[in-house]
Amino acid sequence: MKTKILFIEPPLSASKNVRYLNHQVPMGFMYMADVLEKNGFEVKILDCPLYYKQKRKIDDNLIKIGLLPEQIEKEIREFNPSIIGVSCSFTMFEKDSFDVIDLIRKIDKNVLLVVGGAHASANPQHVLRNKNINLVVIGEGELTMLEIAQRYKDKKTLMNIKGIAFISNGKFKINTSRKQIDNLDNFEPAWHLINLEDYFNHPDNSSVLKRGPSVSIITSRGCPGQCVFCSVHTVWGRKWRAISAKRVVDQLEFLVKKYKIKHIRINDDNLTLNKSRIIEIITKNVLQ
């Protein structure tokens, strides 16, 4: 029987006047899922804010948008994962992540609970004040999450895995950083794990487009810039690494042919650092 891993994007808090939140495909989960599936694990992605019609009142000023606690519990019990990964990407939504983490621990006291994302990577010690968290993944998650899953399945220690932080005997521990992935051509998103029609039909998607359907992709990671306001280096580092122009074009062709995509948003932090690469991508798409 395959070891099961569930990734959860928590429901998010917003002003009571907000009808829906900005929302895009869970690219980080999809990249990790692809690596895990290719190594024999069963993976599911639960993107709670996608269900924007589900709302509940927090107080007079705030609501929570996304799946309700009882719906999340139902998904967890039916899938019955051994490992659950929770996104904690933004400081302002830390409490939302903690709410889901606390719910998970009430449902299953033994599941391995792993947290990742920009906020968790930037301040793992702060995030680990939530005692229900077992591990924080710092930076890129693909290879770190794979090693966690393999070691957990084989009942081996997790404490010496590179790129994680945890609490041991009441003390904060942070391990050596994992080397960043240089060859991004070996990785691709697990598009089959999400229903893209749900994202196409999300009002945030349709409200900003002149034509659709639309989807977001990432073609490079990292940025050598030293901008004081930017925290991207906490996840991707300052070394710029890119998917080859050919692989980018192949991905664009796949999305257009399979999903009839008409608008693609590229969410790179520094798309045009290598001018010849971006010209090659554009030229190949125009000429084909």
Side-chain angles (χ1 to χ4, degrees):
M1 183 180 295
K2 290 184 177 181
T3 300
K4 295 181 178 181
I5 300 167
L6 176 64
F7 288 121
I8 300 179
E9 186 71 40
L12 300 177
S13 301
S15 165
K16 65 179 181 180
N17 298 319
V18 172
R19 292 189 297 119
Y20 55 85
L21 294 162
N22 297 337
H23 202 67
Q24 299 183 26
V25 296
M27 194 62 70
F29 285 161
M30 292 160 63
Y31 269 102
M32 288 188 288
D34 178 70
V35 173
L36 290 162
E37 284 190 331
K38 287 175 178 174
N39 284 273
F41 296 94
E42 184 176 350
V43 185
K44 183 174 183 177
I45 296 173
L46 187 61
D47 191 359
C48 298
L50 178 63
Y51 302 89
Y52 64 94
K53 293 181 180 180
Q54 299 280 19
K55 300 174 184 178
R56 60 189 175 93
K57 181 179 178 181
I58 298 176
D59 56 36
D60 290 339
N61 299 312
L62 293 175
I63 58 171
K64 186 96 77 173
I65 298 177
L67 291 180
L68 304 174
E70 56 269 26
Q71 294 172 310
I72 298 172
E73 180 174 355
K74 182 175 182 292
E75 294 283 348
I76 293 172
R77 292 194 184 281
E78 288 181 353
F79 189 59
N80 192 29
S82 299
I83 302 171
I84 297 181
V86 178
S87 173
C88 188
S89 295
F90 299 98
T91 305
M92 67 181 292
F93 294 130
E94 182 193 68
K95 186 180 184 306
D96 294 313
S97 296
F98 281 6
D99 287 346
V100 164
I101 288 163
D102 295 343
L103 173 66
I104 293 167
R105 191 55 77 203
K106 288 178 182 177
I107 296 167
D108 191 336
K109 297 185 183 302
N110 298 315
V111 70
L112 182 70
L113 218 162
V114 183
V115 177
H119 174 63
S121 295
N123 201 346
Q125 185 170 6
H126 187 72
V127 170
L128 280 164
R129 73 188 190 282
N130 186 314
K131 306 302 181 186
N132 288 320
I133 300 170
N134 295 113
L135 304 173
V136 167
V137 171
I138 300 170
E140 291 177 311
E142 290 91 347
L143 299 183
T144 305
M145 198 67 202
L146 175 60
E147 186 174 354
I148 289 171
Q150 288 174 329
R151 284 174 173 258
Y152 190 71
K153 180 191 70 172
D154 296 337
K155 297 181 171 54
K156 295 181 179 179
T157 180
L158 308 177
M159 300 300 101
N160 58 358
I161 295 174
K162 291 181 179 180
I164 67 168
F166 54 93
I167 299 295
S168 178
N169 297 321
K171 294 183 178 180
F172 172 72
K173 303 286 185 181
I174 183 166
N175 289 353
T176 304
S177 299
R178 183 176 294 273
K179 184 181 182 297
Q180 291 170 336
I181 299 168
D182 287 323
N183 188 359
L184 297 179
D185 280 13
N186 293 331
F187 300 86
E188 59 186 350
W191 293 103
H192 64 280
L193 287 183
I194 63 172
N195 182 0
L196 268 176
E197 288 294 331
D198 291 337
Y199 293 87
F200 297 158
N201 295 328
H202 191 283
D204 176 53
N205 202 330
S206 59
S207 67
V208 296
L209 298 180
K210 291 186 177 180
R211 60 177 185 166
S214 170
V215 75
S216 300
I217 65 168
I218 297 173
T219 77
S220 66
R221 297 179 181 181
C223 177
Q226 302 287 329
C227 303
V228 296
F229 58 81
C230 184
S231 63
V232 70
H233 63 90
T234 61
V235 178
W236 302 127
R238 299 197 187 277
K239 180 182 178 182
W240 188 80
R241 298 151 291 136
I243 302 171
S244 67
K246 182 183 182 305
R247 289 283 288 161
V248 172
V249 173
D250 288 345
Q251 186 175 165
L252 296 177
E253 288 182 344
F254 165 77
L255 291 170
V256 170
K257 290 177 180 178
K258 184 173 180 63
Y259 298 107
K260 311 303 179 187
I261 300 296
K262 294 182 179 179
H263 182 176
I264 293 176
R265 298 181 295 258
I266 300 179
N267 288 346
D268 293 21
D269 295 298
N270 201 326
L271 173 63
T272 58
L273 185 68
N274 184 324
K275 293 181 181 180
S276 61
R277 172 181 171 271
I278 192 63
I279 290 171
E280 185 179 357
I281 291 170
I282 295 169
T283 303
K284 284 186 175 182
N285 277 286
V286 169
L287 293 179
Q288 289 179 355

